[in-house]
Structure formats: structure tokens, C-alpha cells
């Protein structure tokens, strides 16, 4: 994943950038399978690697395929990014180790969900139970967000055809 | 500190820093949005690795299995992935619209065009 992220930085052909970002998403999905998040892996592979890439290719077909190669490297963003990285690494020093079963995240509500979801709902997959039964309202909110985004895209691109037609008339 | 210790956070931070750089440095708007996606995926990795329990398995209840990974980060990230794609779609639509108005998707060229317009008016 790190390699593909680095490639995205180095490449200037936007088609290649979009393809490598698809590879990046797919690698993320395989990584999620390894750390037990199978539902997330499904979604990332279908939505992150699939639909995102298709959307970006669509956008590229309507714009330009190559990035202008910068004449000088951008120093300030590198400094800001590295400073952020150092601060974040300093912040992790107090975090629990990877896979530690005594970490605070595993103590609070998660055991309740794991213990109660099967007897209460009869569905074995805990992620589905939390998503659709316990936190159904959040999922409704998510659907609202997608609906709003869909309307935004339609409004933004709606004038396209009309304007192009007008241009064709004058020409 | 035994392996893997805190390395999962450091991998996420490496991806996060790369994403941050990709959002700031390129002048090209499509590449900025790709950078935003890289940044997003790094947050996903951070959450999902926090939910992992050593010796655990996927949180699907089955007989004979005692230890499960934490399902809550998985739920949060499922929502986040879908919302992330929605925002990507809106961003790309904006880029297409900008390209239509200015004829370019390079940020510095757009700025020059805007300044030229202001000088003209």
C-alpha cells in the first residue's frame, strides 16, 4: 500500500494515477481481510476500488489526461506533512499495542454487542446487526448523505448538455 | 516492545502523511481528489487495526469460537467508505464543472485566469 501511495505521488499521467489508486484500494481491501474486517473488505473492494475508479475515469474523460509537471518541488507541503507525521507518531507512543485484548476499545460496549446480538436478533453477523438494527438511524442518515450527494452531482452536471447545445447553435 | 507493537499506527500515519502531501502539493485538481482518497483509506486502516484482537476472528458468531475482533470500528468504517465515495463524486463533478468554465484543471492556471478577468473588469 505504501508503494502504491508513493507511485501516486510520483506519476504525472492521470490515467495511471487513477489506476494505481484503484490498486491501492484493492490492497487495502485484502489488508482488511487479514485483520478480520470481512464486511469492510467487501465494501472497500466494491465501492472503493470499483465505483471510485469508474467515477474518476469518467471525470478524466471529461477533462484532461495529463498533469502539468511542476517546475520546482513543493517544499512547504513536504515540511507541513512531515511535521504532522512526527506529531502523530509522538501521539501513538501512549497507544495500546496492536491486537492487545485489554485495550480500552475492547472494554466498553463491544462485548455487549458480541454477547447480546445473536440472542436478541438471531443474526450471526454482528457487524450487520449493529449497522441495521442497533444503529439503523445512522444508516438512514448515511442514505440521506448519498441522496444529497447524488442531487449535488446532478445539479452540477445538469447545465452541461444545455450549454453545449447553446454553444453548438452559435457556432 | 515486541512485534508488531505500534507499527500498525505508523503504517497508517505513513499513508496519512502521503495523502496530506497529495492534497497540498499538486496543482492538478483530480490528483488532489486521489490524495483525499489515499488520506481516507489511511483513516480506515487506523480504525480497523485498532479493532483487531490477537487470536480473534471475524465478528460472525459461530459455535466453538470464543474470541472475536471488535465489530464497532467495522461498522463505523463501512459507513465512512460509502460516504467517502459520495464526497468523491461531488468533488469530481465540481472538477468537471471547473474544467468547463476555465478550460483547465490546474489550480495556478485557474488563478491566473481569474486575475486576468478581474484586471479586465
Amino acid at each position: 500500500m505504501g508503494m502504491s501511495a508513493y507511485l501516486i505521488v510520483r506519476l504525472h499521467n492521470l490515467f495511471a494515477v487513477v489506476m494505481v489508486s484503484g490498486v491501492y484500494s484493492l490492497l487495502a481491501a485484502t489488508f482488511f481481510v487479514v485483520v478480520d474486517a470481512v464486511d469492510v473488505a467487501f465494501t472497500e473492494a466494491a465501492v472503493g476500488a470499483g465505483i471510485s475508479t469508474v467515477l474518476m475515469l469518467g471525470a478524466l474523460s471529461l477533462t484532461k489526461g495529463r498533469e502539468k509537471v511542476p517546475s520546482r518541488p513543493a517544499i512547504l507541503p513536504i515540511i507541513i506533512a512531515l511535521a504532522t507525521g512526527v506529531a502523530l507518531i509522538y501521539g501513538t507512543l501512549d497507544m495500546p499495542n496492536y491486537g492487545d485484548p485489554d485495550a480500552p476499545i475492547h472494554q466498553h460496549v463491544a462485548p455487549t454487542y458480541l454477547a447480546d446480538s445473536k440472542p436478541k436478533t438471531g443474526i450471526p453477523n454482528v457487524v450487520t446487526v449493529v449497522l441495521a438494527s442497533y444503529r439503523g438511524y445512522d444508516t438512514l442518515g448515511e442514505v440521506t448523505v448519498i441522496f444529497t450527494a447524488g442531487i449535488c452531482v446532478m445539479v452540477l452536471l445538469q447545465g452541461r448538455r444545455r450549454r453545449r447545445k447553446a454553444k453548438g447553435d452559435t457556432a | 516492545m515486541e512485534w508488531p507493537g505500534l507499527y500498525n499506527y505508523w503504517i497508517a500515519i505513513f499513508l496519512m502523511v502521503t495523502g496530506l502531501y497529495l492534497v497540498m502539493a499538486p496543482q492538478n485538481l483530480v490528483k488532489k481528489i486521489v490524495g483525499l482518497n489515499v488520506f481516507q483509506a489511511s483513516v480506515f486502516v487506523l480504525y480497523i487495526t485498532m479493532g483487531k484482537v490477537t487470536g480473534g476472528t471475524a465478528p460472525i458468531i459461530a459455535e466453538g469460537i470464543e474470541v472475536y475482533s471488535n465489530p464497532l470500528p467495522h461498522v463505523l468504517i463501512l459507513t465512512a467508505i460509502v460516504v467517502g465515495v459520495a464526497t468523491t463524486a461531488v468533488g469530481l463533478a465540481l472538477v468537471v464543472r471547473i474544467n468547463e468554465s476555465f478550460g483547465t484543471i490546474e489550480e495556478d492556471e485557474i488563478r491566473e485566469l481569474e486575475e486576468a478577468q478581474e484586471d479586465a473588469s
Side-chain angles (χ1 to χ4, degrees):
Chain A
M1 276 180 86
M3 261 321 284
S4 51
Y6 177 73
L7 264 181
I8 293 174
V9 176
R10 297 300 301 175
L11 286 172
H12 292 297
N13 184 337
L14 288 178
F15 180 75
V17 167
V18 170
M19 281 298 136
V20 176
S21 89
V23 171
Y24 174 82
S25 283
L26 206 59
L27 284 174
T30 47
F31 177 70
F32 292 153
V33 174
V34 173
V35 293
D36 294 347
V38 281
D39 307 75
V40 182
F42 268 123
T43 319
E44 177 72 32
V47 175
I51 297 179
S52 279
T53 312
V54 171
L55 282 176
M56 284 190 194
L57 287 179
L60 277 190
S61 73
L62 295 173
T63 56
K64 296 181 179 59
R66 266 199 85 79
E67 180 190 30
K68 202 179 59 179
V69 181
S71 47
R72 59 193 164 79
I75 304 294
L76 187 64
I78 293 180
I79 295 171
I80 295 175
L82 285 182
T84 317
V86 171
L88 285 172
I89 286 178
Y90 176 70
T92 60
L93 295 181
D94 288 337
M95 298 287 275
N97 278 352
Y98 171 76
D100 183 3
D102 299 322
I105 183 175
H106 304 307
Q107 304 304 321
H108 194 48
V109 288
T112 323
Y113 280 133
L114 282 171
D116 288 0
S117 62
K118 184 75 192 288
K120 278 190 177 161
T121 60
I123 302 167
N125 190 336
V126 185
V127 176
T128 317
V129 172
V130 177
L131 192 75
S133 302
Y134 286 100
R135 311 265 5 125
Y137 272 114
D138 291 0
T139 309
L140 181 66
E142 178 193 340
V143 174
T144 316
V145 169
I146 299 166
F147 181 67
T148 317
I151 291 177
C152 283
V153 172
M154 275 169 65
V155 169
L156 280 168
L157 297 184
Q158 196 188 25
R160 244 183 90 75
R161 210 168 296 145
R162 207 180 308 141
R163 272 191 303 278
R164 187 181 282 171
K165 218 176 272 168
K167 230 178 242 172
D169 287 345
T170 52
Chain B
M1 190 172 62
E2 80 269 38
W3 175 263
L6 298 169
Y7 284 95
N8 62 321
Y9 302 113
W10 297 345
I11 294 167
I13 286 170
F14 172 74
L15 297 176
M16 204 176 277
V17 165
T18 316
L20 191 62
Y21 175 79
L22 271 174
V23 173
M24 288 189 291
Q27 297 289 335
N28 188 293
L29 293 173
V30 173
K31 207 169 173 187
K32 270 179 198 282
I33 288 179
V34 173
L36 211 58
N37 274 349
V38 171
F39 195 107
Q40 235 172 16
S42 81
V43 178
F44 301 162
V45 169
L46 177 71
Y47 268 65
I48 297 294
T49 54
M50 280 202 289
K52 170 76 178 162
V53 178
T54 307
T57 178
I60 298 170
I61 307 289
E63 272 177 44
I65 294 172
E66 297 293 321
V67 186
Y68 299 100
S69 288
N70 194 330
L72 286 185
H74 301 182
V75 176
L76 292 177
I77 296 309
L78 270 183
T79 310
I81 289 176
V82 177
V83 171
V85 169
T87 49
T88 307
V90 175
L92 288 171
L94 275 172
V95 171
V96 170
R97 188 71 187 75
I98 287 171
N99 182 54
E100 222 173 275
S101 297
F102 291 94
T104 174
I105 49 171
E106 303 284 335
E107 212 175 54
D108 44 357
E109 289 176 8
I110 292 169
R111 209 169 292 138
E112 276 167 25
L113 280 172
E114 273 191 329
E115 275 165 15
Q117 270 180 359
E118 271 170 25
D119 290 345
S121 62

